[in-house]
PDB file of all heavy atoms in Angstrom:
ATOM      1  N   GLN A 890     -19.251 -36.864   2.412  1.00  0.00           N
ATOM      2  CA  GLN A 890     -18.510 -35.785   1.720  1.00  0.00           C
ATOM      3  C   GLN A 890     -19.374 -34.562   1.571  1.00  0.00           C
ATOM      4  O   GLN A 890     -18.896 -33.420   1.709  1.00  0.00           O
ATOM      5  CB  GLN A 890     -18.021 -36.310   0.375  1.00  0.00           C
ATOM      6  CG  GLN A 890     -16.924 -37.351   0.462  1.00  0.00           C
ATOM      7  CD  GLN A 890     -16.573 -37.922  -0.897  1.00  0.00           C
ATOM      8  OE1 GLN A 890     -17.449 -38.047  -1.749  1.00  0.00           O
ATOM      9  NE2 GLN A 890     -15.318 -38.271  -1.069  1.00  0.00           N
ATOM     10  N   ARG A 934      18.716 -16.787   9.890  1.00  0.00           N
ATOM     11  CA  ARG A 934      19.875 -17.700   9.647  1.00  0.00           C
ATOM     12  C   ARG A 934      21.105 -17.160  10.348  1.00  0.00           C
ATOM     13  O   ARG A 934      21.854 -17.949  10.931  1.00  0.00           O
ATOM     14  CB  ARG A 934      20.098 -17.785   8.147  1.00  0.00           C
ATOM     15  CG  ARG A 934      21.150 -18.821   7.764  1.00  0.00           C
ATOM     16  CD  ARG A 934      21.360 -18.826   6.258  1.00  0.00           C
ATOM     17  NE  ARG A 934      20.122 -19.182   5.585  1.00  0.00           N
ATOM     18  CZ  ARG A 934      19.633 -18.549   4.523  1.00  0.00           C
ATOM     19  NH1 ARG A 934      20.290 -17.485   4.066  1.00  0.00           N
ATOM     20  NH2 ARG A 934      18.522 -18.942   3.935  1.00  0.00           N
ATOM     21  N   GLY A 953      16.133 -17.986  17.136  1.00  0.00           N
ATOM     22  CA  GLY A 953      16.544 -17.175  15.987  1.00  0.00           C
ATOM     23  C   GLY A 953      15.323 -16.663  15.224  1.00  0.00           C
ATOM     24  O   GLY A 953      15.272 -15.485  14.837  1.00  0.00           O
ATOM     25  N   THR A 964      11.536  -2.760  13.653  1.00  0.00           N
ATOM     26  CA  THR A 964      12.066  -1.958  12.556  1.00  0.00           C
ATOM     27  C   THR A 964      10.957  -1.411  11.685  1.00  0.00           C
ATOM     28  O   THR A 964      11.013  -0.219  11.280  1.00  0.00           O
ATOM     29  CB  THR A 964      13.049  -2.803  11.724  1.00  0.00           C
ATOM     30  OG1 THR A 964      14.095  -3.309  12.555  1.00  0.00           O
ATOM     31  CG2 THR A 964      13.674  -1.960  10.586  1.00  0.00           C
ATOM     32  N   TYR A 975       1.746   9.118  11.119  1.00  0.00           N
ATOM     33  CA  TYR A 975       1.929  10.599  11.182  1.00  0.00           C
ATOM     34  C   TYR A 975       1.385  11.276   9.916  1.00  0.00           C
ATOM     35  O   TYR A 975       0.655  12.248   9.992  1.00  0.00           O
ATOM     36  CB  TYR A 975       3.358  10.965  11.417  1.00  0.00           C
ATOM     37  CG  TYR A 975       3.639  12.450  11.321  1.00  0.00           C
ATOM     38  CD1 TYR A 975       3.250  13.326  12.330  1.00  0.00           C
ATOM     39  CD2 TYR A 975       4.273  12.988  10.175  1.00  0.00           C
ATOM     40  CE1 TYR A 975       3.461  14.668  12.239  1.00  0.00           C
ATOM     41  CE2 TYR A 975       4.499  14.352  10.079  1.00  0.00           C
ATOM     42  CZ  TYR A 975       4.075  15.196  11.108  1.00  0.00           C
ATOM     43  OH  TYR A 975       4.311  16.532  11.008  1.00  0.00           O
ATOM     44  N   ILE A 987      -9.272  22.114   5.122  1.00  0.00           N
ATOM     45  CA  ILE A 987      -9.686  22.569   3.759  1.00  0.00           C
ATOM     46  C   ILE A 987     -11.210  22.489   3.635  1.00  0.00           C
ATOM     47  O   ILE A 987     -11.839  23.378   3.073  1.00  0.00           O
ATOM     48  CB  ILE A 987      -9.008  21.688   2.683  1.00  0.00           C
ATOM     49  CG1 ILE A 987      -7.518  21.988   2.653  1.00  0.00           C
ATOM     50  CG2 ILE A 987      -9.641  21.928   1.326  1.00  0.00           C
ATOM     51  CD1 ILE A 987      -6.723  21.072   1.712  1.00  0.00           C
ATOM     52  N   GLU A1002      -5.662  35.942 -10.682  1.00  0.00           N
ATOM     53  CA  GLU A1002      -5.017  35.476 -11.901  1.00  0.00           C
ATOM     54  C   GLU A1002      -6.010  34.825 -12.861  1.00  0.00           C
ATOM     55  O   GLU A1002      -5.957  35.080 -14.079  1.00  0.00           O
ATOM     56  CB  GLU A1002      -3.922  34.448 -11.526  1.00  0.00           C
ATOM     57  CG  GLU A1002      -2.982  34.100 -12.664  1.00  0.00           C
ATOM     58  CD  GLU A1002      -2.087  35.252 -13.052  1.00  0.00           C
ATOM     59  OE1 GLU A1002      -1.880  36.167 -12.212  1.00  0.00           O
ATOM     60  OE2 GLU A1002      -1.600  35.248 -14.194  1.00  0.00           O
ATOM     61  N   THR A1007      -9.368  34.934 -17.738  1.00  0.00           N
ATOM     62  CA  THR A1007     -10.643  34.518 -18.310  1.00  0.00           C
ATOM     63  C   THR A1007     -11.705  35.604 -18.274  1.00  0.00           C
ATOM     64  O   THR A1007     -12.714  35.509 -18.947  1.00  0.00           O
ATOM     65  CB  THR A1007     -11.194  33.279 -17.588  1.00  0.00           C
ATOM     66  OG1 THR A1007     -11.472  33.622 -16.187  1.00  0.00           O
ATOM     67  CG2 THR A1007     -10.173  32.126 -17.608  1.00  0.00           C
ATOM     68  N   VAL A1077       0.110 -27.501 -11.434  1.00  0.00           N
ATOM     69  CA  VAL A1077      -0.730 -26.305 -11.496  1.00  0.00           C
ATOM     70  C   VAL A1077      -0.625 -25.482 -10.208  1.00  0.00           C
ATOM     71  O   VAL A1077      -0.544 -24.218 -10.249  1.00  0.00           O
ATOM     72  CB  VAL A1077      -2.203 -26.719 -11.740  1.00  0.00           C
ATOM     73  CG1 VAL A1077      -3.110 -25.464 -11.803  1.00  0.00           C
ATOM     74  CG2 VAL A1077      -2.320 -27.497 -13.072  1.00  0.00           C
ATOM     75  N   ARG A1090       5.037  -9.335  -5.963  1.00  0.00           N
ATOM     76  CA  ARG A1090       6.322  -8.630  -5.937  1.00  0.00           C
ATOM     77  C   ARG A1090       6.297  -7.464  -6.912  1.00  0.00           C
ATOM     78  O   ARG A1090       6.780  -6.376  -6.599  1.00  0.00           O
ATOM     79  CB  ARG A1090       7.444  -9.570  -6.264  1.00  0.00           C
ATOM     80  CG  ARG A1090       8.867  -8.993  -5.999  1.00  0.00           C
ATOM     81  CD  ARG A1090       9.935  -9.946  -6.485  1.00  0.00           C
ATOM     82  NE  ARG A1090       9.683 -11.321  -6.179  1.00  0.00           N
ATOM     83  CZ  ARG A1090       9.509 -12.257  -7.140  1.00  0.00           C
ATOM     84  NH1 ARG A1090       9.517 -11.905  -8.388  1.00  0.00           N
ATOM     85  NH2 ARG A1090       9.268 -13.504  -6.812  1.00  0.00           N
ATOM     86  N   VAL A1093       3.916  -4.654  -5.524  1.00  0.00           N
ATOM     87  CA  VAL A1093       4.433  -3.959  -4.294  1.00  0.00           C
ATOM     88  C   VAL A1093       5.680  -3.149  -4.656  1.00  0.00           C
ATOM     89  O   VAL A1093       5.778  -1.968  -4.293  1.00  0.00           O
ATOM     90  CB  VAL A1093       4.729  -4.978  -3.186  1.00  0.00           C
ATOM     91  CG1 VAL A1093       5.433  -4.323  -2.039  1.00  0.00           C
ATOM     92  CG2 VAL A1093       3.422  -5.601  -2.740  1.00  0.00           C
ATOM     93  N   VAL A1098       5.948   0.983  -4.466  1.00  0.00           N
ATOM     94  CA  VAL A1098       7.196   1.542  -3.917  1.00  0.00           C
ATOM     95  C   VAL A1098       7.694   2.677  -4.781  1.00  0.00           C
ATOM     96  O   VAL A1098       8.124   3.723  -4.271  1.00  0.00           O
ATOM     97  CB  VAL A1098       8.266   0.461  -3.764  1.00  0.00           C
ATOM     98  CG1 VAL A1098       9.621   1.087  -3.414  1.00  0.00           C
ATOM     99  CG2 VAL A1098       7.859  -0.523  -2.677  1.00  0.00           C
ATOM    100  N   ILE A1109       9.680  16.728  -1.357  1.00  0.00           N
ATOM    101  CA  ILE A1109      10.868  17.497  -1.039  1.00  0.00           C
ATOM    102  C   ILE A1109      10.954  18.774  -1.913  1.00  0.00           C
ATOM    103  O   ILE A1109      11.297  19.833  -1.443  1.00  0.00           O
ATOM    104  CB  ILE A1109      12.143  16.634  -1.252  1.00  0.00           C
ATOM    105  CG1 ILE A1109      12.139  15.509  -0.185  1.00  0.00           C
ATOM    106  CG2 ILE A1109      13.409  17.468  -1.111  1.00  0.00           C
ATOM    107  CD1 ILE A1109      13.236  14.508  -0.428  1.00  0.00           C
ATOM    108  N   VAL A1119       2.693  20.641   2.918  1.00  0.00           N
ATOM    109  CA  VAL A1119       3.502  19.726   2.085  1.00  0.00           C
ATOM    110  C   VAL A1119       3.102  18.258   2.333  1.00  0.00           C
ATOM    111  O   VAL A1119       3.010  17.463   1.400  1.00  0.00           O
ATOM    112  CB  VAL A1119       4.975  19.938   2.379  1.00  0.00           C
ATOM    113  CG1 VAL A1119       5.815  18.872   1.675  1.00  0.00           C
ATOM    114  CG2 VAL A1119       5.411  21.309   1.925  1.00  0.00           C
ATOM    115  N   VAL A1128      -0.873   8.878  -4.290  1.00  0.00           N
ATOM    116  CA  VAL A1128      -1.956   8.213  -5.006  1.00  0.00           C
ATOM    117  C   VAL A1128      -1.893   8.542  -6.495  1.00  0.00           C
ATOM    118  O   VAL A1128      -1.990   7.639  -7.308  1.00  0.00           O
ATOM    119  CB  VAL A1128      -3.322   8.658  -4.416  1.00  0.00           C
ATOM    120  CG1 VAL A1128      -4.484   8.025  -5.175  1.00  0.00           C
ATOM    121  CG2 VAL A1128      -3.398   8.326  -2.930  1.00  0.00           C
ATOM    122  N   VAL A1140      -0.155  17.706  -9.190  1.00  0.00           N
ATOM    123  CA  VAL A1140       0.104  18.507  -7.998  1.00  0.00           C
ATOM    124  C   VAL A1140       1.235  19.507  -8.250  1.00  0.00           C
ATOM    125  O   VAL A1140       1.097  20.690  -8.069  1.00  0.00           O
ATOM    126  CB  VAL A1140       0.393  17.632  -6.757  1.00  0.00           C
ATOM    127  CG1 VAL A1140       0.792  18.504  -5.593  1.00  0.00           C
ATOM    128  CG2 VAL A1140      -0.854  16.816  -6.435  1.00  0.00           C
ATOM    129  N   ALA A1150       1.989  32.774  -9.953  1.00  0.00           N
ATOM    130  CA  ALA A1150       0.829  33.650  -9.826  1.00  0.00           C
ATOM    131  C   ALA A1150       0.912  34.549  -8.621  1.00  0.00           C
ATOM    132  O   ALA A1150       0.377  35.666  -8.634  1.00  0.00           O
ATOM    133  CB  ALA A1150      -0.448  32.819  -9.773  1.00  0.00           C
ATOM    134  N   LEU A1160      10.621  24.843  -9.139  1.00  0.00           N
ATOM    135  CA  LEU A1160       9.776  23.684  -8.987  1.00  0.00           C
ATOM    136  C   LEU A1160       9.486  23.022 -10.328  1.00  0.00           C
ATOM    137  O   LEU A1160       9.447  21.812 -10.450  1.00  0.00           O
ATOM    138  CB  LEU A1160       8.487  24.045  -8.263  1.00  0.00           C
ATOM    139  CG  LEU A1160       7.546  22.909  -7.956  1.00  0.00           C
ATOM    140  CD1 LEU A1160       8.212  21.830  -7.106  1.00  0.00           C
ATOM    141  CD2 LEU A1160       6.293  23.416  -7.196  1.00  0.00           C
ATOM    142  N   PRO A1188      -1.102  -0.338 -16.234  1.00  0.00           N
ATOM    143  CA  PRO A1188      -1.241   0.747 -15.229  1.00  0.00           C
ATOM    144  C   PRO A1188      -2.689   1.077 -14.922  1.00  0.00           C
ATOM    145  O   PRO A1188      -3.016   1.514 -13.783  1.00  0.00           O
ATOM    146  CB  PRO A1188      -0.503   1.912 -15.868  1.00  0.00           C
ATOM    147  CG  PRO A1188       0.460   1.274 -16.800  1.00  0.00           C
ATOM    148  CD  PRO A1188      -0.175   0.067 -17.300  1.00  0.00           C
ATOM    149  N   GLY A1206      -6.467   0.512   1.546  1.00  0.00           N
ATOM    150  CA  GLY A1206      -6.786   0.092   0.174  1.00  0.00           C
ATOM    151  C   GLY A1206      -5.785   0.571  -0.826  1.00  0.00           C
ATOM    152  O   GLY A1206      -5.727   0.033  -1.926  1.00  0.00           O
ATOM    153  N   ALA A1218      -5.365 -11.546 -11.390  1.00  0.00           N
ATOM    154  CA  ALA A1218      -4.756 -11.666 -12.734  1.00  0.00           C
ATOM    155  C   ALA A1218      -3.870 -12.923 -12.792  1.00  0.00           C
ATOM    156  O   ALA A1218      -3.824 -13.627 -13.831  1.00  0.00           O
ATOM    157  CB  ALA A1218      -3.950 -10.426 -13.029  1.00  0.00           C
ATOM    158  N   LEU A1221      -6.154 -16.010 -13.083  1.00  0.00           N
ATOM    159  CA  LEU A1221      -6.726 -16.143 -14.428  1.00  0.00           C
ATOM    160  C   LEU A1221      -5.698 -16.592 -15.433  1.00  0.00           C
ATOM    161  O   LEU A1221      -5.981 -17.402 -16.367  1.00  0.00           O
ATOM    162  CB  LEU A1221      -7.342 -14.825 -14.866  1.00  0.00           C
ATOM    163  CG  LEU A1221      -8.578 -14.339 -14.059  1.00  0.00           C
ATOM    164  CD1 LEU A1221      -9.009 -12.962 -14.526  1.00  0.00           C
ATOM    165  CD2 LEU A1221      -9.714 -15.314 -14.266  1.00  0.00           C
ATOM    166  N   GLU A1222      -4.456 -16.050 -15.312  1.00  0.00           N
ATOM    167  CA  GLU A1222      -3.410 -16.445 -16.231  1.00  0.00           C
ATOM    168  C   GLU A1222      -3.035 -17.940 -16.071  1.00  0.00           C
ATOM    169  O   GLU A1222      -2.787 -18.642 -17.035  1.00  0.00           O
ATOM    170  CB  GLU A1222      -2.181 -15.611 -15.959  1.00  0.00           C
ATOM    171  CG  GLU A1222      -1.017 -15.791 -16.978  1.00  0.00           C
ATOM    172  CD  GLU A1222      -1.367 -15.392 -18.385  1.00  0.00           C
ATOM    173  OE1 GLU A1222      -2.353 -14.643 -18.553  1.00  0.00           O
ATOM    174  OE2 GLU A1222      -0.695 -15.826 -19.301  1.00  0.00           O
TER     175      GLU A1222
END
Side-chain angles (χ1 to χ4, degrees):
Q890 291 174 326
R934 186 182 299 135
T964 303
Y975 172 75
I987 291 175
E1002 192 68 23
T1007 64
V1077 178
R1090 190 186 321 115
V1093 171
V1098 171
I1109 293 173
V1119 172
V1128 178
V1140 173
L1160 183 57
L1221 293 175
E1222 186 65 19

